[in-house]
């Protein structure tokens, strides 16, 4: 899955406390949040679009993730 690849590699490209924003389908917010959590991201929050559907999930890089890359 594309999200798994992006999330798995993101910490290598983001600075400490860097923000990752992922736009996704309205039925994917929980799966994306779970992937982010499993990869150690913090501050995970989904935002809704104008129709009230979850559309974008944000998360920040935990400092120890950056050190692993």
């Amino acid at each position: 899955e594309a999200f798994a690849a992006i999330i798995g590699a993101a910490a290598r490209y983001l600075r400490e406390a860097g923000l990752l924003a992922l736009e996704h389908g309205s039925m994917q917010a929980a799966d994306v949040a779970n992937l982010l959590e499993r990869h150690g991201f913090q501050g995970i929050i989904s935002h809704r679009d104008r129709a009230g559907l979850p559309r974008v999930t944000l998360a920040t890089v935990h400092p120890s993730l950056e050190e692993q890359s």
Side-chain angles (χ1 to χ4, degrees):
E1 175 176 294
F3 288 120
I6 293 167
I7 293 167
R12 288 181 284 209
Y13 300 99
L14 296 171
R15 294 182 180 174
E16 181 179 331
L19 180 68
L20 178 63
L22 296 166
E23 183 177 10
H24 49 71
S26 62
M27 303 300 287
Q28 295 176 304
D31 292 335
V32 169
N34 287 335
L35 276 170
L36 288 162
E37 187 174 348
R38 286 199 311 255
H39 281 87
F41 283 80
Q42 297 180 336
I44 302 165
I45 186 165
S46 292
H47 293 276
R48 296 181 181 275
D49 61 17
R50 290 183 181 248
L53 301 170
R55 188 62 63 192
V56 175
T57 299
L58 307 174
T60 56
V61 175
H62 186 275
S64 65
L65 290 177
E66 185 183 342
E67 294 168 7
Q68 295 173 8
S69 28

